[in-house]
Amino acid sequence: MKVFSADRLERLLDTVLKPSRYTGGEMNAVIKPFDQADVTFAFCFPDSYEVGMSHLGIKILYDIINRQPWALCERAFMPWPDMADAMRKEDLPLFSIESRTPLDRFDIVGFTLQYEMSYTNVLEMLDLAGIPLYSRDRQNGPIIMAGGPCAYNPEPLAPFVDVFQIGDGEEMMVEAIACVRKCKQEGLSRLDTLRALAKIEGIYVPAFYQASYNNDGTLAAFAPIDDAAPAVVRKRIVRDLDSAAYPEAFVVPYTEAIHDRIVLEIMRGCTKGCRFCQAGMLYRPVRERSLETLLSQAEKLENATGYEEMSLSSLSSGDYTHLTELVCALTERYAERKISVSLPSMRIDSFVKQSLEEAQKVRKSGLTLAPEAGTQRMRDVINKGVTEEDLIRAVTDAFESGWSTVKLYFMIGLPTETDEDLQGIGNLARDVINAYFTVPRSQRAKGLRVTCSASTFVPKPFTPFQWQGQDELPQIREKQARLGDILHQVKGVNFNWHEPELSMLEACFARGDRRMADVLYAAWKNGCRMDGWTEFLNYEGWMKAFQDCHVDPAFYANRVRGEKELLPWDFIDAGVTKAFLWREWQKALRAEVTPDCRKGCQGCGLKRFEGVCVDR
Amino acid sequence: MKMLVVFEKKERLRHVSHLDLMRAMQRALRRSGVPIAFSQGFNPHLLVTFAAPLSVGMPGLREVMEVPLSAEISEEEFKEKLRAALPPELPCVAVRAVEDRHPAPMAQLFAAGYQITVQEHVEEILAAIPSLLAKENVMALKKTKSGEKLTDIRPMIYEIKRLDESRFECVLALCEAATCKVELLMDALAAEAGLEARPRYLAVRTQLLGKDFIPLELL
Ligand code: SF4
């Protein structure tokens, strides 16, 4: 039995790296008496403190739960491996930051799943907390919940998680914790509590479903085995984002988080329809926050945090209706207080020169653009509605306004890719450099820096590419080398790429089924954790896990799937229909584009949700 | 006008580094709404200076920082505003308004008081105090920029006073000319007690002192 002791913890803290990751005491951390709350929720981010504290979702839900006078939410993060090992050696259970309560004393332990390669950390955190990993081994103790974008294919985690929340969490979370509170008050059993939860829209309780498989390994059937469980789990949508709860204060960490600043979520959803982009499909439809709401949120957050930087967040900030007004108003208000305003995830087709100039008044950060592919044909395949002309105009504008650092993001291994598409990346990089030199010397900033970053395409559920196979490792390596050669010939470009092994594992989990859970467990047993950190990725541990479980990674990562195949996530209604996605997949193969649905509905399926998709 | 601010860094925050603490204080000052002065230049920042960085792992009861102001404000109002903007683990203890030409606390620093709880070999360490104080020289290996140097730390130990069964207080030199860190004193006590290694202990910096051992914020 693991027993918590503050004294032993203090002792450990003197011996580990960056102990202030574990000690809390931050401004705006919510401190409530633990024993007086009807429901206690440990919000777990399965990665380091610095990564977790940068994440917006945790801020929103932490605030929402703590707003309920009867509920309490505290945070927990994945301890850095040195701390994890020390805790295990000392038998010290994983504890929450605020009250240092061991996680197994909470009513609910909830994980946010932002990327597949954090799954081993979910197991590691449960184990560090002394909580049995498999749902079937937990007769009492906390209910394990999970949400976030990866919950849209929950199957690889199905045996470990009791309850998944699918979709926007703002309303569903309150319903879920209220349900647990009621069940507790009525003294219901664990099973009946799960049944009550399964009736909430958006909630999936994997134990209430059964999967069977064909001889070729594909899914034969998937259906509920408990009356409380719906056959189709429908994602939750917050219809009115403007009135949805948003924190008035962020917890301000001492040790610097990756993104340590005020974040304003200006809108949710994206209608561009890029075919590789899971977020673009999952977060439909587009909902905007009003200018007034955002300005008032900015003011409250600034007064509560004292941050020196503010960033606007959305999938496609350039499409926000009042972008120029918002950026002008923010810069005007905060210039005197020396607060900079930044616009990440700017898409080149929505580039607004004016807002660029506004943003730059306070600080000039590097410009990030994501053309994703090198040729027009390839961009048509992925439905990235951007032309080379757009891109060159955008960078020229930026160079004229004094920018000199440009990062270009590309993907390799996209469907139908040929050598010409790789060549295209080199051509584009060269054109960007030429654009810099066309700007008169007196007008441009010194020190041009162009970086090309190539990630490996990972097919994701609920995208038109969900049927496509990923390139095999040797192919990816070959393409990376080839692209390296091409870019080597372009003077002044830095090239970097991602580990292809990591992308392969990501692909296995992204489209995995329940059998991937065995591999996950075996890999964790082999010591895999913190897989997203290059220094900790233990590829041999993973390969051994696949072998021991008799699972072929190619079945999940590289196999092309057919129209009729039952996909492991088909029981989830994510808004976009399978028919729409297939249509888009066929159009992709013909390199046919689909325009932004703001200009006309493309029939993706969201209209089936009442009142969410309004024609403009 | 400048404000001298006395604050406490509680035990929970003892691992927060000096750099992180400075950033936290700057943000607290920003959200407090007191009229703070910014530096000129491309990347403007607050002009806050600390009397002496605390080593990582050590809490402080009466730490001192100096905050240059861009407008007049009363001590009461400043204290109230800053108090509201600080987390419970980092409270403001006192403030004092001074003229712009008042010397910087850092320049007036002379020594610091510590309270030390010995957590291992308690008896031996406490018993070694009188004999250590009776010595004329106490040689210790001091880390310097160019390596380690054998230094006599006896003149830098101004006082050691036993408090109870496990704790003692001491006053050690802390200024540009001479600084004796708590580790060095603990090494010397361990050697005096015939121990092989420095025992576990928790040190709290209780006060920063100027000339004649007057608390820095009162000078
Ligand atoms: S239903 Fe039509 S308008 Fe709404 S997101 Fe889908 S395609 Fe766009």
Side-chain angles (χ1 to χ4, degrees):
Chain A
M1 239 307 264
K2 292 175 190 261
V3 182
F4 185 80
S5 127
D7 186 52
R8 273 188 302 144
L9 171 62
E10 286 300 329
R11 228 177 257 218
L12 280 195
L13 290 175
D14 283 325
T15 65
V16 297
L17 295 166
K18 295 205 195 168
S20 55
R21 283 169 174 154
Y22 314 107
T23 50
E26 308 99 325
M27 186 68 194
N28 302 324
V30 180
I31 308 295
K32 287 184 169 186
F34 190 87
D35 295 318
Q36 283 166 35
D38 293 350
V39 176
T40 53
F41 193 110
F43 200 112
C44 298
F45 195 97
D47 208 323
S48 72
Y49 176 87
E50 293 92 320
V51 175
M53 287 301 289
S54 308
H55 178 247
L56 180 58
I58 180 171
K59 299 182 208 287
I60 294 179
L61 293 172
Y62 180 75
D63 171 68
I64 285 187
I65 300 172
N66 278 321
R67 273 185 202 208
Q68 318 304 318
W70 42 267
L72 163 151
C73 181
E74 299 191 353
R75 295 159 296 151
F77 301 90
M78 170 71 192
W80 201 251
D82 69 329
M83 179 67 168
D85 291 344
M87 289 170 72
R88 193 166 270 133
K89 210 166 133 224
E90 284 276 324
D91 252 342
L92 194 76
L94 186 60
F95 53 90
S96 64
I97 299 278
E98 281 80 357
S99 66
R100 298 187 170 181
T101 304
L103 295 196
D104 66 351
R105 283 199 48 210
F106 283 79
D107 295 315
I108 305 166
V109 170
F111 289 89
T112 176
L113 308 173
Q114 295 298 314
Y115 27 87
E116 292 82 2
M117 297 324 289
S118 65
Y119 289 178
T120 48
N121 291 350
V122 172
L123 301 193
E124 177 77 344
M125 286 176 77
L126 286 175
D127 187 66
L128 284 171
I131 298 172
L133 300 191
Y134 283 95
S135 306
R136 56 166 188 264
D137 299 333
R138 295 191 292 261
Q139 273 76 47
N140 41 40
I143 290 175
I144 310 301
M145 287 194 186
C150 291
Y152 279 88
N153 178 19
E155 291 305 89
L157 286 172
F160 310 112
V161 173
D162 298 313
V163 172
F164 285 95
Q165 296 190 16
I166 318 284
D168 293 333
E170 281 96 338
E171 295 156 1
M172 179 169 35
M173 180 58 90
V174 180
E175 290 167 28
I177 58 173
C179 176
V180 171
R181 178 193 191 207
K182 191 159 166 273
C183 294
K184 239 179 110 178
Q185 284 165 347
E186 289 170 6
L188 294 193
S189 69
R190 192 178 182 86
L191 184 64
D192 286 334
T193 304
L194 293 178
R195 286 199 175 115
L197 283 163
K199 292 195 178 117
I200 297 173
E201 193 179 37
I203 281 188
Y204 165 56
V205 178
F208 295 159
Y209 298 77
Q210 202 166 43
S212 57
Y213 303 93
N214 297 312
N215 286 339
D216 65 1
T218 57
L219 198 59
F222 186 89
I225 47 170
D226 191 292
D227 288 344
V232 173
V233 178
R234 205 176 220 222
K235 81 156 172 183
R236 287 297 289 268
I237 299 177
V238 168
R239 282 166 169 70
D240 180 10
L241 193 66
D242 207 40
S243 62
Y246 201 75
E248 294 182 352
F250 288 172
V251 177
V252 185
Y254 290 101
T255 174
E256 218 165 356
I258 314 262
H259 300 300
D260 205 10
R261 60 194 179 199
I262 290 174
V263 182
L264 298 176
E265 190 194 18
I266 59 178
M267 63 179 185
R268 198 173 289 176
C270 175
T271 46
K272 297 276 173 190
C274 295
R275 292 177 178 134
F276 58 86
C277 176
Q278 192 188 31
M281 296 294 162
L282 295 184
Y283 294 113
R284 284 180 179 214
V286 167
R287 290 142 292 165
E288 296 195 345
R289 280 201 167 91
S290 70
L291 202 58
E292 300 74 59
T293 304
L294 290 168
L295 289 176
S296 117
Q297 286 173 354
E299 186 62 20
K300 284 181 189 144
L301 283 168
E302 182 49 37
N303 292 338
T305 63
Y307 271 130
E308 31 318 269
E309 193 186 342
M310 226 175 248
S311 86
L312 307 183
S313 152
S314 78
L315 291 171
S316 145
S317 298
D319 292 331
Y320 175 61
T321 315
H322 314 291
L323 183 65
T324 316
E325 290 121 288
L326 178 65
V327 175
C328 290
L330 289 174
T331 18
E332 202 174 289
R333 274 191 197 191
Y334 296 112
E336 204 196 331
R337 282 151 79 179
K338 320 283 186 228
I339 297 160
S340 68
V341 180
S342 59
L343 310 156
S345 75
M346 184 59 109
R347 296 172 51 137
I348 54 178
D349 47 347
S350 56
F351 223 79
V352 188
K353 194 177 172 193
Q354 194 186 350
S355 56
L356 207 89
E357 277 167 1
E358 285 295 336
Q360 165 226 347
K361 260 188 208 155
V362 184
R363 194 197 288 172
K364 212 164 288 170
S365 48
L367 185 68
T368 305
L369 300 171
E372 309 290 3
T375 59
Q376 194 55 48
R377 186 201 66 84
M378 192 79 251
R379 285 193 295 271
D380 290 346
V381 168
I382 63 176
N383 204 41
K384 184 95 194 179
V386 172
T387 63
E388 173 153 359
E389 223 186 313
D390 295 333
L391 176 77
I392 297 305
R393 188 167 17 86
V395 291
T396 311
D397 279 353
F399 290 143
E400 280 170 356
S401 312
W403 260 266
S404 60
T405 305
V406 179
K407 270 195 216 140
L408 300 171
Y409 284 104
F410 295 98
M411 254 185 282
I412 54 174
L414 287 163
T416 75
E417 184 179 59
T418 66
D419 191 62
E420 206 181 305
D421 301 305
L422 298 178
Q423 284 282 1
I425 296 178
N427 296 342
L428 213 51
R430 185 175 298 117
D431 291 345
V432 167
I433 290 174
N434 289 341
Y436 173 80
F437 288 106
T438 59
V439 177
R441 190 183 292 266
S442 56
Q443 215 184 325
R444 67 187 190 220
K446 275 202 270 298
L448 173 69
R449 276 182 49 201
V450 177
T451 309
C452 282
S453 202
S455 61
T456 305
F457 165 67
V458 178
K460 294 275 168 114
F462 296 110
T463 66
F465 292 166
Q466 65 178 356
W467 290 277
Q468 172 69 354
Q470 187 180 45
D471 276 351
E472 283 170 29
L473 280 181
Q475 254 173 303
I476 298 174
R477 285 207 195 88
E478 208 176 288
K479 286 182 180 177
Q480 281 179 338
R482 172 86 182 109
L483 187 56
D485 287 343
I486 292 171
L487 288 172
H488 193 71
Q489 288 159 26
V490 186
K491 236 180 84 197
V493 178
N494 291 314
F495 174 47
N496 55 49
W497 63 88
H498 298 246
E499 305 294 323
E501 290 84 3
L502 197 67
S503 307
M504 190 275 278
L505 292 171
E506 199 184 317
C508 290
F509 281 107
R511 297 185 303 157
D513 53 34
R514 289 188 174 192
R515 292 166 298 181
M516 275 302 293
D518 302 336
V519 180
L520 177 62
Y521 181 80
W524 171 76
K525 273 275 173 198
N526 291 342
C528 295
R529 60 180 169 180
M530 295 293 259
D531 304 294
W533 298 80
T534 322
E535 64 263 52
F536 298 122
L537 178 64
N538 169 2
Y539 188 60
E540 288 74 49
W542 276 105
M543 286 304 105
K544 196 175 169 308
F546 276 107
Q547 261 168 24
D548 293 349
C549 298
H550 308 290
V551 170
D552 179 9
F555 178 81
Y556 295 106
N558 313 119
R559 186 172 60 91
V560 177
R561 304 180 188 202
E563 184 182 8
K564 295 282 171 281
E565 181 172 338
L566 183 62
L567 302 171
W569 53 92
D570 275 350
F571 72 98
I572 287 174
D573 182 350
V576 290
T577 58
K578 203 175 177 183
F580 167 77
L581 295 173
W582 182 261
R583 229 167 38 234
E584 281 293 298
W585 174 221
Q586 296 309 303
K587 282 173 93 174
L589 293 174
R590 298 192 298 267
E592 257 176 55
V593 298
T594 298
D596 188 324
C597 66
R598 285 188 190 227
K599 298 176 192 116
C601 177
Q602 298 295 331
C604 77
L606 260 300
K607 285 254 166 82
R608 295 172 301 125
F609 290 65
E610 208 181 317
V612 299
C613 229
V614 266
D615 284 313
R616 290 156 202 260
Chain B
M1 183 173 148
K2 305 192 287 194
M3 202 63 82
L4 297 182
V5 178
V6 184
F7 65 94
E8 180 179 357
K9 181 190 180 193
K10 294 204 178 186
E11 193 172 332
R12 183 164 188 163
L13 300 189
R14 71 191 174 99
H15 293 292
V16 172
S17 72
H18 181 60
L19 206 72
D20 290 345
L21 182 74
M22 288 201 304
R23 196 174 41 239
M25 272 301 179
Q26 296 198 351
R27 287 177 177 160
L29 285 161
R30 297 178 78 115
R31 57 185 176 248
S32 71
V34 300
I36 33 179
F38 282 94
S39 70
Q40 299 297 311
F42 188 68
N43 228 333
H45 55 271
L46 294 186
L47 296 164
V48 183
T49 51
F50 289 72
L54 262 175
S55 343
V56 174
M58 197 186 289
L61 296 186
R62 296 184 73 85
E63 293 299 300
V64 178
M65 67 175 178
E66 181 194 78
V67 182
L69 298 172
S70 61
E72 300 272 312
I73 182 171
S74 74
E75 289 176 345
E76 294 70 41
E77 191 187 345
F78 184 97
K79 190 175 175 199
E80 185 43 45
K81 284 191 159 157
L82 185 59
R83 194 199 54 76
L86 284 169
E89 313 288 323
L90 203 61
C92 170
V93 180
V95 303
R96 178 179 160 214
V98 294
E99 298 285 298
D100 275 336
R101 55 176 205 288
H102 187 88
M106 204 192 306
Q108 291 184 294
L109 188 64
F110 176 69
Y114 303 89
Q115 191 184 90
I116 289 149
T117 310
V118 187
Q119 292 163 324
E120 281 171 0
H121 301 289
V122 184
E123 273 318 304
E124 294 103 302
I125 292 289
L126 292 180
I129 292 175
S131 53
L132 187 89
L133 286 176
K135 289 187 144 174
E136 229 159 85
N137 311 94
V138 176
M139 300 313 283
L141 259 191
K142 218 178 147 180
K143 279 204 190 85
T144 63
K145 280 185 202 96
S146 47
E148 287 186 328
K149 206 176 128 204
L150 209 54
T151 316
D152 181 11
I153 59 165
R154 183 62 191 87
M156 304 178 208
I157 304 171
Y158 299 119
E159 189 185 18
I160 308 183
K161 206 168 78 200
R162 186 179 171 147
L163 284 178
D164 53 31
E165 295 75 62
S166 63
R167 295 181 307 158
F168 67 88
E169 276 178 346
C170 61
V171 177
L172 305 175
L174 178 60
C175 62
E176 226 178 306
T179 291
C180 177
K181 292 201 164 176
V182 176
E183 287 115 270
L184 283 186
L185 173 66
M186 290 307 290
D187 283 343
L189 282 171
E192 192 64 28
L195 301 174
E196 299 226 322
R198 187 196 302 159
R200 259 172 41 84
Y201 65 93
L202 178 74
V204 179
R205 188 152 79 185
T206 51
Q207 218 159 30
L208 292 170
L209 302 164
K211 69 169 190 309
D212 301 330
F213 301 103
I214 297 169
L216 206 54
E217 67 275 16
L218 302 179
L219 275 175

